[in-house]
Amino acid sequence: MAPTDPAGLSTAQVAQRLQQDGPNVLPSDRQRGWRAITRETLSDPMFALLLGAGVLYFLLGDLQEGLILMGLVLVVLALTLYQEGKTEHALASLRDLTSPRALVVRDGKPVRIAGRDVVRGDILLLAEGDRVAADALLIRGTDVQLDESLLTGEPHPVDKVVMSMAASSDDHPSQSVKSTLFSGTLLVRGQAMARVLATGVHSEIGRIGAALDSLTAEPSPLRRQTAQLVQVLAVVAVVASVMLVVAFGLQRGDWLGALLAGIALAMALLPQEFSVVLTVIPALGAWRLSKHQVLTRRIAAIETLGATSVLCVDKTGTLTENRMTVVRLYAEAPASSVAAQPDGQVQGCSMAVDYATTTELPETFHTLVEFSILASVSTPFDPMEKAFHRLGQHFLRDTEHLHRDWTLLQQYGLTQELRAMSHVWKAVDGSAHVVAAKGAPEAIVDLCHMDAAAQARVAAAVDDMAAQGLRVLGVAQARFEGVDWPAIEHDFEFDFVGLLGLADPLRPEIPDAVAQAHAAGIRVVMITGDYPATATAIARQARLHRDSEPFRKPDEAGAWLLTGEAMSQLGDVQLQQRMTTVSVCARIAPTQKLRIVQALKANGEVVAMTGDGVNDAPALKAAHVGVAMGERGTDVAREAASVVLLNDNFAALVHAVRLGRRIFDNLRKSMSYILAVHVPIAGMALLPVLLGWPTMLFPLHIAFLELVIDPACSMVFENEPDEPGLMQRQPRNVNTPLLGGETLAWALAQGLGSLALVLLATWWCLGHLSEGAARAFAFAMLVAGNLALILANRACRGSLLQSLRVPNHTLWLVCAAALLLLGFSLYVPWLAGLFKFAYLPWPWLGVALALGVLLMLVLEWFKPRAADAGGVSCPG
C-alpha cells in the first residue's frame, strides 16, 4: 500500500460495528430455524399416516397405544430434526463460504474476508471482475465502470467518479450517486478503492428486497428420477392400501382394523427416506469437501464430479504454487557496455538472478526492473507484479529507479487483440510523460516495431527461458508530450527494454495427483496463456500425458500441443478431432476456453473446467462442473462455477473427484437398502392378511422399524469410506440412473429374498407358537433382516469379513440400539403388551437372529455373481 492509503478499521472497531449492524447478509441468506424444519417434517406423508393411526387408536379407546404411537412420532421427529439440523449446519457453513469475498484494509493491511464480515466504514479494494460486497463510496479509482443491471435492469455499464474522503460520511449522500458503488453490482472495468456506507438489509439491494441466492438451482437429474420413483410408489401404496382395506373389511367385518392395516401398508410402501438421503448425504458430503478446501456451491454438482472424464486446468496457481519469482533477466544494451561489436548494434545481455548471493544488479538491467514496476500497479495483488516489486525492493531500494513520487495518469489494459498493458506516468520534473508497457513477448515486440533481426534475437532469448519452464514477459518504454492520449497503445513510440523470466514451481503433490486422475480414466488438459515452451516444460514435470515422457521440446509435442493461434484456424469439427489427443493448450485467450469446453462436450466427455477471470465465466458455466479459483478468482467466476477451489490446488480437485465418487456410491448403497428393506415390511403388512393369517404388523411396529431405517439410510451409509479401487475404475456414464436396470433388480431381489425367508419362518412359527408369540418372532425376524440388509449393502466389492474390518462407528451404534430396543419390546411386559406380543422363548429369538445371519450370508454368496452380471449397487 502507498503511504497515503487509508489504514482502514481496527479490529475493535470492526467488532463494535458488527455488533451494531449485524452481518452483511440479507434475510433470504439466513438458515432455516427448527420451527421451519418441524413444519416441513410434519407435512411429510409418513407423519400424516402416523398421526392418523394414533387418532384411530384414540377412537378405538386404546389410549395407551395411541399415546405410545404419538411418542414414537416425537422420537422419529427428533431423529429427523437432528439429521436436518446437521445438514442445515453444513449448508450454513457452505453459505458462509459462498458469500462474495472482499479485499478490505484492516489495521493498515489488505486482507481477504467473507462478504458477510464486511462492516460499515471498511475500505474495499476492488479489481476488474469483483462483485461489490456492500454499498460503498468511491474514494480512489481509474476508469471505474460498474454493471448495475441487478438493480436497474439496464445492461449498459455505468461510469463512476471519485469522491474525496473528506466529503464522505456514513450516510448515503443524495448528490453522489455517481460516486456510490452499490452492493451486488459488478466492477467490469478499472480498479477502485471505496469506503463502505451500508451493509446487509441497510444497503440499497436490501431496501428493495432483492437478493442473490446462489444456492438455488433447478432439481437435479437424480432428484427428478427419485421423485418419479416416489410418485409411482405412492400410487401403488394408495391403490394397494385401499384394496387391502376393502378385502380385510369384507373378509373379517372389522373395518377399523382394516383401516389400521391399510395405514400400516401405506407406511410400509412409502419410502419417505429417499428425500432424507438426497438431502443429508450430498449436503454432508459437500461439507466434507469444504474441509479439504473444496467448496461445492451447487450440491447437484456432486452427482457429476464422480463422472468427470476430462479435467481442464489452469497452469498458474493450480498446477504451480502461484509463487512467482523473477529468476532470469534479458536486456538489450549498447554494444560498448558489454563487448565491442563491429556494426555497433545492440546485443542481448542475460543474467540469472540469485537473491541469496547477488546484492548488486548490473546497470544494464536497472531500466528493465524499473519499467517492469512502472507497468504494474502500486499495490499489487497479482503474483507476477508482486515479483517485480520484490525484485526492485531487493536491488533498487537505494536508487532513483523506484519513483514513488510519480503520478499515474493513464492506463491501457490487456485486450484480446494485444496481450500487453501500459501505464502513463507524470514525473516530478520535466513536461514529458513516461510510458511503461509489459506483456507477452510477441505483443511487446509488436508494439516496438522491431526489425527481423531484432525479433529473431528476442525470440531466441524467449525460447531459451521458456524451455526452462519460465513464464516470460517483455517490457518496453516510451515518452509522450501533451495530454491528448492516443486511443491505442500502438500510437506510442515504444523502445524494447528486455525480458523477465519468472519461475513458478510445480506443486510437489501434482505428479501424484495427475497419476491418480489417469488411473481413474480421467484426462488432464492444461489450458494456459503462457508461451508453448513454458507450458510443455511444466506439462513434462507434471507428467500430464499418460506416457512418462511424451515430449521434450515444443516442436516434439505434436498432437499433444494446441496453441491459440492454431486453434483459431480450426473449424468446430476439426477442433473436436484435435481435442481427442491434446494435453496442453498454450497461448489460449480466455474467450477460446469456451470453444475448448464445447469441443470436449461434443466428443461425449464430461468436463470439469477451472477458471479465475471474468472472461472465464462462459466456459465455467458451459462445463458440466465449473471450478473457480477461491484465492485469485473473481466473484463472477465463482458465481458461474459449481465448485470453488479455496486453495487453487489441482490436487484438491482430484480429491473432490474421489469424494464425489464416494458420495455417489454411498447414495446408491443407501437407496438400494431403502428399496430392499421396504419390500419385506410391505410384504408382511399385506400377505398375512391376504393369506388369512393373523395381522403381523401394525402402524406401531412400522414406526419402530423407522427408528432403525432412518439413521441407517443416512448416517450409516454417509459414513462409509471409499470402495476398494475407487480411483482405478473408469468414469461412470452421467446419464445412468441411480436406481436403474440391474441395480434396481438387485435391490428388489434382496428385498424379495428377505421377505421369502421371513414369510416362511413365520408360517412355520404359527404352527408351534401362539399368535402373539408368532407376531413377536416375525418382528424379530424383520429387525434381524433389516440389519442383514444394512451389512449386505455396505460394500459392493470384497468379502463380508473385509467390510466388517472397515471402521464405521455409526453402524455399530445403530445395530446395538436396534437390538437393545428389540429386547425391550419383546421382554418388557408393558411394552410387549403395546406391541401385541406374547412371550417369545429365548431359543426362538436365537432362531430369528440366526436366520438374519443366514440371510446376510446368502446375500454375500450371491453378491459376486450379481457383480459379474452388473447388478451390485455400485458403479462398475
Side-chain angles (χ1 to χ4, degrees), residues 235-413:
V235 171
V236 171
V238 171
V239 173
S241 298
V242 170
M243 292 177 64
L244 178 62
V245 169
V246 173
F248 191 104
L250 291 176
Q251 182 182 2
R252 306 187 185 185
D254 181 5
W255 289 99
L256 282 176
L259 196 54
L260 283 173
I263 289 176
L265 179 61
M267 290 171 63
L269 284 171
L270 275 177
Q272 55 90 22
E273 301 88 359
F274 279 164
S275 60
V276 174
V277 165
L278 287 175
T279 302
V280 172
I281 293 182
L284 293 182
W287 179 75
R288 288 181 190 275
L289 276 174
S290 71
K291 297 297 182 182
H292 293 275
Q293 302 296 299
V294 180
L295 169 63
T296 309
R297 297 187 65 255
R298 296 178 179 88
I299 301 299
I302 292 178
E303 297 174 38
T304 314
L305 268 174
T308 300
S309 60
V310 175
L311 295 175
C312 296
V313 297
D314 288 330
K315 177 184 75 67
T316 304
T318 307
L319 297 179
T320 61
E321 295 181 358
N322 201 23
R323 185 170 47 85
M324 290 287 190
T325 304
V326 178
V327 297
R328 198 163 189 85
L329 301 173
Y330 172 89
E332 296 216 330
S336 59
S337 66
V338 284
Q341 292 291 325
D343 54 5
Q345 293 182 356
V346 296
Q347 71 169 26
C349 303
S350 185
M351 172 186 173
V353 180
D354 188 340
Y355 293 87
T357 60
T358 306
T359 57
E360 293 187 5
L361 195 69
E363 184 66 31
T364 307
F365 301 101
H366 282 200
T367 303
L368 173 60
V369 178
E370 172 190 4
F371 276 83
S372 70
I373 296 173
L374 288 174
S376 305
V377 298
S378 59
T379 55
F381 188 67
D382 181 88
M384 288 187 297
E385 297 190 340
K386 285 182 178 179
F388 300 151
H389 278 266
R390 282 197 303 270
L391 183 69
Q393 290 164 5
H394 188 81
F395 291 112
L396 306 181
R397 55 187 179 274
D398 297 325
T399 73
E400 71 281 3
H401 293 286
L402 295 181
H403 307 301
R404 292 190 176 95
D405 53 351
W406 286 15
T407 304
L408 180 64
L409 298 180
Q410 178 73 351
Q411 294 185 69
Y412 294 86

Side-chain angles (χ1 to χ4, degrees), residues 81 148 162 507:
L81 284 174
E148 296 184 344
V162 173
R507 293 179 186 265

Side-chain angles (χ1 to χ4, degrees), residues 16 58 62 72 128 170 177 192 204 282 305 307 314 323 350 500 581 637 687 698 713 734 742 843:
Q16 180 184 6
F58 288 137
D62 195 340
L72 278 177
E128 185 176 307
D170 283 349
V177 175
E204 189 67 23
L305 268 174
D314 288 330
R323 185 170 47 85
S350 185
L500 301 101
T581 58
L687 293 178
F698 293 103
C713 69
V734 73
E742 295 87 355

Side-chain angles (χ1 to χ4, degrees), residues 53 93 262 368 373 483 499 528 556 610 628 643 655 683 838:
S93 300
L368 173 60
I373 296 173
V483 293
L499 304 170
T528 179
E556 295 175 2
T610 68
V643 172
H655 182 83

